[in-house]
Amino acid sequence: METPNGTHVLERAINGDSDAFGALVEPHLPMFYNAIYRILGDRADSQDALQDALMAIHRDLPKFEGRSAFSSWAYRVCINNALMVRRARVRRKEDAMEDLVSQNPDEGRPMDADASLRWSTDPDAFNKIEHKEMREKMMAVLDKMSDAHRVVFILKDLEDWTTEAIAEHLEISASVVRQRLHRGRLFVLERMRPFVLGRPT
Amino acid sequence: MNLMPSCKDVRENLTEYMEGKLPLSRRMGIRIHLMMCKVCDGLLHTLQTLPTFAKEVLRAPAEAPAEAKETYDRFLKNIRETSKS
């Protein structure tokens, strides 16, 4: 990244120029914090993780070799720090996950007609409700999800990690990752569907 | 053994099915079930679109929230003070 006077911002940041560090990080701050908050779902924890991530970025900047974009590298640092904070904390919540499958035995019969509606992602669905409200609802749903299911859902469906990478990081089997992912998906789907589609009156 | 899985069986296994991790016989049973069951096929479609939907809904806002800015400002202040001393 070049400034008008030709000075390399990254180089300046590595050499301790805090303004240059700010110029590197600040444009991506919303994205970095968003990634952290999606994993942790708690402001205080997210602030801790962001601070840890900023420290790690600042400390490891000399090791950044520029093979990827700075934002991609720093984003990964943020994710890793969020996961570290998550690992360190004791989540207070009980597992609120409901076993949707076992609670809705169908004895081989189809679900009710309402469940047959496909969940559209077309613009009309979003027109039904403001994006901000939808986001708040989604965050509330994630907040109700158990930590074990939430982290798998976020890493797989939002961060596009492979099942194997998640399994390795969380030290569980790939099969357990898929089970948690499936339950997490059903948990989200069941709670967001009426919000997106509306209930028949 | 019933080769045709029930809706419950299918719904329990759709993520494994999507990842191609089921044995061939189970995969084929689910595929045939999906061809005949609009409800389960709809659920499969919904699960497939869920990541796109979630990414859109949970995308980063244009501005970082106040608590993020506060943490960032505090950090920047600290490194400025450290570099001066």
Side-chain angles (χ1 to χ4, degrees):
Chain A
M1 191 191 303
E2 300 282 332
T3 55
N5 65 7
T7 312
H8 201 281
V9 173
L10 181 61
E11 204 171 297
R12 283 172 43 215
I14 289 170
N15 290 328
D17 183 334
S18 57
D19 289 337
F21 183 80
L24 275 177
V25 170
E26 199 165 339
H28 309 295
L29 189 62
M31 182 176 74
F32 293 165
Y33 186 75
N34 191 54
I36 290 169
Y37 187 74
R38 287 194 311 207
I39 289 173
L40 295 171
D42 176 276
R43 286 183 181 179
D45 283 351
S46 298
Q47 283 184 293
D48 289 348
L50 177 63
Q51 180 168 304
D52 292 350
L54 290 170
M55 284 169 64
I57 292 167
H58 189 253
R59 184 193 61 225
D60 294 338
L61 208 51
K63 296 182 201 163
F64 171 61
E65 294 170 340
R67 287 185 190 149
S68 58
F70 167 78
S71 57
S72 305
W73 173 78
Y75 185 85
R76 184 80 182 188
V77 173
C78 290
I79 295 281
N80 287 340
N81 276 275
L83 291 170
M84 275 193 270
V85 167
R86 176 191 167 271
R87 216 180 291 145
R89 79 186 178 187
V90 178
R91 186 104 175 177
R92 284 90 48 194
K93 293 174 190 164
E94 291 294 316
D95 188 345
M97 173 64 61
E98 293 168 23
D99 186 343
L100 294 169
V101 173
S102 64
Q103 284 194 356
N104 296 293
D106 63 0
E107 297 171 342
R109 304 301 307 158
M111 290 183 277
D112 62 51
D114 185 41
S116 72
L117 293 172
R118 286 183 174 217
W119 190 356
S120 168
T121 54
D122 65 27
D124 285 347
F126 285 99
N127 288 340
K128 290 183 180 176
I129 194 145
E130 291 294 325
H131 180 271
K132 185 169 176 283
E133 204 178 340
M134 185 90 81
R135 178 185 168 83
E136 283 167 4
K137 174 68 181 171
M138 187 74 160
M139 288 307 300
V141 169
L142 287 180
D143 204 39
K144 288 191 191 117
M145 198 188 289
S146 77
D147 189 50
H149 293 84
R150 176 193 178 111
V151 71
V152 169
F153 174 72
I154 295 290
L155 292 179
K156 179 73 178 180
D157 281 358
L158 281 96
E159 302 296 345
D160 293 325
W161 282 32
T162 64
T163 298
E164 290 70 26
I166 297 169
E168 189 180 338
H169 183 89
L170 299 180
E171 298 177 341
I172 53 178
S173 70
S175 172
V176 171
V177 170
R178 284 191 288 274
Q179 284 169 18
R180 289 184 185 176
L181 175 64
H182 191 59
R183 304 232 164 186
R185 283 172 169 172
L186 291 180
F187 189 88
V188 171
L189 191 148
E190 192 67 19
R191 283 154 185 79
M192 289 302 288
R193 190 202 325 254
F195 206 65
V196 176
L197 295 173
R199 286 280 184 205
T201 52
Chain B
M1 181 186 165
N2 189 356
L3 288 177
M4 176 65 79
S6 67
C7 288
K8 181 175 183 290
D9 291 334
V10 170
R11 292 203 305 265
E12 281 177 346
N13 287 286
L14 279 179
T15 291
E16 300 240 33
Y17 175 78
M18 286 161 65
E19 292 211 357
K21 294 298 177 187
L22 294 172
L24 180 64
S25 60
R26 286 188 52 73
R27 203 161 66 240
M28 292 307 291
I30 288 176
R31 183 176 294 180
I32 293 167
H33 181 107
L34 290 170
M35 287 166 69
M36 299 192 307
C37 178
K38 194 178 160 190
V39 177
C40 290
D41 187 55
L43 178 60
L44 174 67
H45 179 267
T46 301
L47 289 172
Q48 287 168 336
T49 57
L50 182 57
T52 306
F53 173 83
K55 281 175 189 157
E56 169 62 21
V57 171
L58 294 176
R59 70 173 188 264
E63 288 208 10
E67 71 267 20
K69 286 180 185 164
E70 181 194 318
T71 304
Y72 169 76
D73 289 342
R74 196 173 54 233
F75 177 79
L76 218 54
K77 191 178 166 203
N78 282 345
I79 61 170
R80 279 183 181 135
E81 285 172 359
T82 306
S83 65
K84 279 180 194 166
S85 58

